[in-house]
Structures are given as structure tokens and as C-alpha cells.
């Protein structure tokens, strides 16, 4: 008897429906699994057989052929265990109402006793199931809230294979579809932050620089001695960024779902991601990779912040692979059989010591590095990468008087209101340009049209380029940052004071900065 069940395979952040064809034959003795399955899928025979026998059913003793169609697409992972097991039970006539099985998409990994374990990619699977008109989706209980965010399709969470068997044997009764108020849960969790800028003593100039970075979507690098607060400040950046829209949250959640990074029982990612990989990370770990391509850290930071602490300690090859994704805001991973696109629109925030000992330009401690060591340390970061970082911010140690002061600092909520006001001006400015929503993403043509400065501003910028020995690449960055400073001030025009503030954030472009 031939029975079809349906599962799904995830490629990139999208899912493809897979037909699981199970044919029980009267002759023959072996089991066959075909359809370009990897080892994890092929090993399902042992899990499926143990589950069927443990729960009082019979594994067919004659030939069983399972085909995963379309057969030219690579299938990976353990999530096909459940549709294969249900297909075998239906094909061997051990289940009633087997015709209803084809109305549902079924996914789940089986343990040997029939308990159903979580899977990856439940959200894109649910979206594809709704798109193809399935009546319902059966997934592990741990993934039910994630999949339940998709409306107009019944999502059933199950803990054991017996629940699935009884559901079909009882005429599709016994299980209750999960109901989630996605919008309420999403909006209630948007401002639930662990950190806040009110905890930061002093460092007002650094807070101002991060406010500018958040308002314009600019990349930034913090340079300062150990213990000055670089990491602490960077961790608080997400608290002043604009909240995720529902579309951004869905896109971000799909990436984390595919990577298996969503906590059990979670729904939408409600806050902007903050990813901080260790400096020993590989190229594939950062941009993504693998035989079946998986998202890397830059994609997991999509719509959020990628924080690279101790930037010069990262391997140079790892840093260089970021250059193209930073410009295109997506990364393409190509393999022999498949090419997968992952979104990668993130803010890069980096931190570094100014030299190997960490105390170059320190107001109180003397640098012990030999001559040329500072420049050699800085040279670990290539010019093209620095070219993509808009703000270079020097972080100085906090004085005891500021640390011990009882006065509370400005909270993140107040700073965020100013950032939101600036972002609203930019949203109106770029409403007719798809894919551009912040000043940092301006094209060269837009730069000439939007960042117009008067003669006094031209003179100041010319003097800065000459007297401070700024590099030519600093020109566009200064104009973009000055446009953001003007937006924060509520000004339609870029004034001379806005330019002056933007110029001071190009420390590493100054010739002779490193001695």
C-alpha cells in the first residue's frame, strides 16, 4: 500500500515541502530510503523501528521503500523521523483515517521510545505550509509557539508519537491547535532590557557617539585602555535603537529558527539581536557555511548589532570576508549543488586597545610598547575595513569623582526618544528608495543631493582635511555623520557645528595618530 505524508526541508531561510512516499510491498525483506538523504536521515530507520515496536505496533517484515521527493534536493537532519514513522504505520494499515494524513505537514525527531524532540526552522516551515494550503501543521511541543505565530493554519504541538496516531485514529480530534496573540507578546517584550545607559557613570562623549551611531545606523569603533568601559557601553547600544517592526522581527526570527538559536517555547524575536563572537571564530562561523549552508554571526546579527571585541585579535582573513556583506547587506554562500542567500544588515560595533600593552595615549599610565608597535598593532585592521567604519571614538578612563557620584545618568529611554525622532526624519527622506532607511546607507548620488553644506562648511571641511591630515576616504563618512547629527538636532540643513562634531570622530584617519 502506498501512502504519502508531507515534511519540509529548509534551505537558507526558506522551506521547501517534501513528499514522503512510503510503499509497503508484499515481497522482499529489506528497507530502502531514497531521495538524496544524508546520514542523519538514513539513520532514522533505527529510531523509527524502535519507536514503532516500543509503542506496541509492528514494523513490516516485508519490503518497505521510502522516497523523499523531489529526489534531486539534498535532505538533512532528523526532523523526517515522524513523517516516515506515520507513513509506515499508515502504509501497513495500522492506522485508521490514513487519508487525512495528506492534509497535514508533519515534522519531528523521534527518540527510541516515541518522545518527539525539537527541530530547527519551525517558523519557515509553518509559513510554507500555510502558503501551500495545508489544513494543519504537526510539530514538537517545544516548537509549537514558534510555529503558532503563523496565522490561518492550525498548529498542533505534540510530545509523543501516540498523540499523533490517536489524532488521526479519532478522526482528527483530541489535539487542540495552539493560539497565540503574536502582536501582544511582541510589543510587550520590546523594551524588556537587561542593561541601561543609566548604569554608566561619566563617558558622556561616548554616549553621544553611540547615540549618533544608533540614529544613523553607523558603524563605530571604540578605542581605549583596558577597563575604560568599551564593552559595557557597546552592550547598551541595543537599548537605544528603534524597536523592531513586525516585518523585521519575522525576518530575524526565521534566521534564528533555521540556526536553532531560538530558546524553547519562544515566539518572535522581539528585541534587536546583539551578537558578540569570540575572536577565535572562523570564516564560516562569521559569514556562514557548511555542506548545507547555515547562517553565520553576521546573519544572526541581522537587524541588530554585531560586536567584535578586541578587533585586532581576530584573524585578518576573518575580518576581510565581512567587507562585501557590509556593503551589500546580505551574504551568498555557494556550494556545488546550491547557492543560499542570507540577509546580513547589521551595525558593526568594534572595540580595541590602542596598542599591545593597552596604554598608548593614557592620561596617567605610560605606554611600554617599543617604537613602531602601535602602528603595527593598528595595521592588523585593513584600510578597506576601517573605511566602512564611520565613527572612531576614543574612550578614556573614568575619574573616581564620576564613578562615586550619586547623580544618575540619562536613561536609555530618553536617549531612544531622540534616536526615534531622527529615524522618523530619515524614514520620510528615504521613503521612495527601497532598501535604504538610514543615513549610513546613502548612495553617492544621494550624498550629493542630501548632504549639501554652505561655503563656511566647505571651508571647515577643507581645513580639517588638510590640517588634521585626514584621508580622502573620510570625506563621505563625515558628511553622512554630520547629516545624522543635524537630524538629531532637528535641523533641515547641515550647519557648521554639525560638521565640526562629525570631524572629531575620524581619529584613526589622522596621519600620525599612532605615533
Amino acid at each position: 500500500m502506498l501512502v504519502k505524508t508531507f515534511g519540509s526541508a529548509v534551505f537558507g531561510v526558506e522551506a521547501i515541502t517534501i513528499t514522503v512516499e512510503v510503499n509497503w510491498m508484499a515481497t522482499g525483506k529489506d528497507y530502502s530510503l531514497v531521495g538524496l538523504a544524508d546520514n542523519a536521515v538514513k539513520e532514522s530507520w533505527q529510531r523509527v523501528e524502535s519507536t514503532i515496536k516500543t509503542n506496541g505496533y509492528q514494523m513490516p517484515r516485508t519490503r518497505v521503500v521510502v522516497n523523499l521527493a523531489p529526489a534531486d534536493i539534498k535532505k538533512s537532519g532528523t526532523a523526517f523521523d515522524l513523517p516516515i514513522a506515520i507513513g509506515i504505520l499508515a502504509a501497513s494499515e495500522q492506522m485508521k483515517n490514513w487519508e487525512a494524513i495528506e492534509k497535514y505537514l508533519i515534522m519531528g525527531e523521534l527518540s527510541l521510545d516515541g518522545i518527539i524532540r525539537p527541530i530547527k526552522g519551525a517558523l519557515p516551515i509553518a509559513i510554507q505550509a500555510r502558503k501551500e494550503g495545508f489544513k494543519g501543521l504537526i510539530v514538537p511541543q517545544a516548537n509549537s509557539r514558534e510555529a503558532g505565530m503563523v496565522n490561518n493554519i492550525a498548529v498542533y504541538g505534540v510530545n509523543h508519537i501516540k498523540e499523533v496516531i490517536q489524532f488521526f485514529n479519532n478522526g482528527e480530534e483530541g489535539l487542540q491547535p495552539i493560539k497565540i496573540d503574536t502582536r501582544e507578546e511582541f510589543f510587550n517584550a520590546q523594551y524588556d532590557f537587561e542593561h541601561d545607559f543609566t548604569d554608566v557613570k561619566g563617558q558622556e562623549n561616548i554616549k553621544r557617539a553611540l547615540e549618533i551611531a544608533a540614529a544613523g545606523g553607523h558603524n563605530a569603533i571604540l578605542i581605549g585602555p583596558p577597563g575604560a568601559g568599551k564593552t559595557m557601553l557597546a552592550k547598551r547600544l541595543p537599548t537605544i535603537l528603534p524597536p523592531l517592526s513586525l516585518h523585521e522581527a519575522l525576518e530575524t526570527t526565521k534566521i534564528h529558527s533555521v540556526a536553532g538559536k531560538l530558546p524553547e517555547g519562544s515566539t518572535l524575536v522581539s528585541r534587536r539581536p546583539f551578537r558578540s563572537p569570540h575572536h577565535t571564530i572562523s570564516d564560516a562561523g562569521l559569514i556562514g557555511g557548511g555542506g548545507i549552508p547555515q547562517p553565520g554571526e553576521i546573519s544572526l546579527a541581522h537587524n541588530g548589532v554585531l560586536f567584535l571585541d578586541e578587533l585586532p585579535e581576530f584573524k585578518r582573513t576573518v575580518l576581510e570576508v565581512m567587507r562585501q556583506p557590509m556593503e551589500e547587506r546580505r551574504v551568498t554562500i555557494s556550494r556545488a549543488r546550491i547557492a543560499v542567500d542570507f540577509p546580513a544588515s547589521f551595525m558593526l560595533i568594534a572595540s580595541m586597545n590602542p596598542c599591545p600593552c593597552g596604554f598608548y595615549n593614557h592620561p596617567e599610565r605610560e605606554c611600554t610598547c617599543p617604537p613602531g608597535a602601535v602602528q603595527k598593532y593598528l595595521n592588523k585592521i585593513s584600510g578597506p575595513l576601517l573605511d566602512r567604519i564611520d565613527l572612531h571614538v576614543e574612550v578614556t578612563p573614568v575619574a573616581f569623582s564620576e564613578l562615586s557620584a550619586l547623580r544618575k545618568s540619562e536613561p536609555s529611554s530618553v536617549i531612544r526618544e531622540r534616536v526615534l525622532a531622527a529615524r522618523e526624519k530619515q524614514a520620510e527622506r528615504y521613503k521612495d528608495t527601497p532598501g535604504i532607511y538610514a543615513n549610513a546607507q546613502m548612495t553617492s548620488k544621494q550624498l550629493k543631493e542630501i548632504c549639501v553644506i554652505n561655503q563656511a562648511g566647505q571651508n571647515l571641511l577643507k581645513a580639517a582635511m588638510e590640517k588634521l591630515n585626514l584621508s580622502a576616504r573620510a570625506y563621505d563618512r563625515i558628511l553622512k555623520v554630520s547629516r545624522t547629527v543635524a537630524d538629531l538636532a532637528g535641523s533641515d540643513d547641515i550647519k557648521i557645528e554639525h560638521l565640526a562634531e562629525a570631524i572629531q570622530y575620524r581619529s584613526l584617519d589622522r596621519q600620525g595618530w599612532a605615533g
Side-chain angles (χ1 to χ4, degrees):
M1 182 177 177
L2 175 63
V3 171
K4 294 181 181 180
T5 61
F6 292 91
S8 195
V10 178
F11 292 93
V13 293
E14 304 297 333
I16 299 173
T17 299
I18 303 297
T19 303
V20 182
E21 301 174 319
V22 182
N23 195 7
W24 176 38
M25 303 179 183
T27 59
K29 294 183 178 181
D30 59 336
Y31 304 142
S32 298
L33 178 60
V34 296
L36 209 59
D38 71 355
N39 287 335
V41 180
K42 291 177 180 177
E43 289 173 354
S44 66
W45 277 123
Q46 284 70 36
R47 294 189 293 273
V48 168
E49 183 175 12
S50 176
T51 294
I52 290 175
K53 290 181 177 180
T54 301
N55 288 280
Y57 296 91
Q58 296 295 320
M59 189 72 177
R61 296 186 178 182
T62 54
R63 181 171 173 78
V64 176
V65 178
V66 176
N67 178 43
L68 305 179
D72 61 341
I73 295 176
K74 183 77 172 177
K75 323 300 187 306
S76 64
T78 57
F80 291 101
D81 291 0
L82 186 56
I84 290 174
I86 295 299
I88 290 173
L89 289 171
S92 58
E93 300 181 357
Q94 299 181 73
M95 286 180 59
K96 304 174 185 177
N97 196 27
W98 56 266
E99 297 92 344
I101 294 174
E102 295 186 9
K103 302 175 185 177
Y104 293 83
L105 194 147
I106 307 170
M107 292 295 281
E109 177 188 339
L110 290 173
S111 61
L112 298 183
D113 59 357
I115 291 175
I116 300 175
R117 302 184 185 279
I119 62 172
K120 295 180 181 179
L123 179 58
I125 288 171
I127 293 172
Q128 185 64 19
R130 180 185 64 180
K131 182 179 178 181
E132 297 200 8
F134 283 96
K135 182 178 180 180
L137 171 66
I138 298 174
V139 293
Q141 185 68 50
N143 299 110
S144 60
R145 286 176 56 80
E146 175 189 341
M149 292 183 296
V150 180
N151 54 16
N152 298 326
I153 184 172
V155 176
Y156 300 92
V158 291
N159 289 310
H160 199 279
I161 191 173
K162 282 187 175 179
E163 297 175 36
V164 184
I165 297 170
Q166 291 168 2
F167 176 70
F168 289 112
N169 283 344
N170 296 336
E172 302 171 70
E173 295 182 357
L175 292 178
Q176 294 298 321
I178 190 166
K179 296 185 183 299
I180 297 175
D181 191 334
T182 305
R183 290 179 178 272
E184 182 180 355
E185 292 197 11
F186 172 66
F187 289 115
N188 286 344
Q190 278 190 318
Y191 300 110
D192 184 18
F193 295 109
E194 180 182 355
H195 306 291
D196 196 285
F197 270 103
T198 194
D199 305 325
V200 181
K201 301 288 187 179
Q203 303 290 24
E204 299 302 328
N205 59 324
I206 318 303
K207 294 178 189 176
R208 171 63 177 175
L210 291 179
E211 180 181 338
I212 294 170
H218 301 289
N219 302 322
I221 183 168
L222 308 179
I223 312 133
K230 302 185 294 294
T231 303
M232 179 185 67
L233 287 159
K235 285 182 176 179
R236 283 157 175 75
L237 179 61
T239 68
I240 63 172
L241 288 172
L244 286 169
S245 66
L246 271 173
H247 174 74
E248 289 177 325
L250 184 63
E251 196 175 32
T252 304
T253 305
K254 286 170 67 176
I255 299 170
H256 286 248
S257 174
V258 167
K261 301 294 184 181
L262 285 179
E264 185 174 326
S266 63
T267 53
L268 279 175
V269 172
S270 55
R271 295 183 297 276
R272 294 190 180 272
F274 181 87
R275 304 294 301 181
S276 180
H278 194 261
H279 63 257
T280 55
I281 193 172
S282 65
D283 301 16
L286 189 65
I287 68 165
I292 301 294
Q294 292 293 302
E297 288 292 334
I298 64 172
S299 294
L300 292 170
H302 180 60
N303 291 324
V305 177
L306 177 67
F307 177 50
L308 301 184
D309 201 3
E310 304 298 343
L311 188 66
E313 303 303 325
F314 284 79
K315 290 184 291 186
R316 190 180 181 106
T317 55
V318 172
L319 296 178
E320 295 306 298
V321 297
M322 286 199 306
R323 285 159 49 180
Q324 186 175 354
M326 285 174 69
E327 290 292 322
E328 297 182 359
R329 299 189 177 271
R330 65 187 309 104
V331 59
T332 302
I333 302 171
S334 299
R335 295 293 180 263
R337 289 181 174 270
I338 191 171
V340 175
D341 283 345
F342 290 112
S345 179
F346 60 90
M347 281 180 61
L348 174 65
I349 304 297
S351 73
M352 62 176 286
N353 294 329
C355 66
C357 80
F359 298 105
Y360 179 74
N361 276 345
H362 194 282
E364 298 175 0
R365 299 187 60 172
E366 185 177 351
C367 175
T368 59
C369 298
V374 178
Q375 186 62 54
K376 184 179 179 181
Y377 189 70
L378 186 61
N379 285 344
K380 290 183 178 181
I381 309 167
S382 70
L385 181 60
L386 282 178
D387 185 36
R388 290 163 171 81
I389 299 178
D390 302 337
L391 288 86
H392 308 160
V393 187
E394 294 186 62
V395 183
T396 55
V398 182
F400 174 78
S401 59
E402 291 181 323
L403 284 173
S404 59
L406 298 179
R407 179 178 59 86
K408 286 190 175 182
S409 300
E410 193 175 35
S412 295
S413 57
V414 175
I415 303 173
R416 185 170 58 244
E417 289 301 319
R418 297 196 294 266
V419 170
L420 285 171
R423 283 290 184 107
E424 287 173 5
K425 292 176 70 70
Q426 293 167 57
E428 178 64 24
R429 182 180 299 139
Y430 304 118
K431 65 181 180 181
D432 297 326
T433 311
I436 295 180
Y437 56 86
N439 290 331
Q441 300 169 328
M442 262 191 282
T443 63
S444 298
K445 181 180 179 181
Q446 289 172 321
L447 189 73
K448 295 176 182 177
E449 297 173 354
I450 296 170
C451 298
V452 178
I453 55 178
N454 57 25
Q455 189 58 50
Q458 290 280 7
N459 294 337
L460 174 64
L461 190 51
K462 179 182 178 181
M465 298 287 289
E466 294 174 352
K467 293 183 180 180
L468 299 178
N469 293 317
L470 294 174
S471 65
R473 69 173 178 261
Y475 180 79
D476 285 358
R477 303 292 172 179
I478 288 174
L479 288 178
K480 290 180 181 180
V481 173
S482 63
R483 179 63 266 173
T484 301
V485 175
D487 288 341
L488 281 168
S491 173
D492 293 331
D493 300 320
I494 298 176
K495 300 178 181 179
I496 195 166
E497 58 266 28
H498 304 148
L499 269 174
E501 185 172 2
I503 289 168
Q504 71 173 334
Y505 294 124
R506 299 302 302 182
S507 300
L508 296 182
D509 282 329
R510 298 174 188 169
Q511 294 181 9
W513 180 88

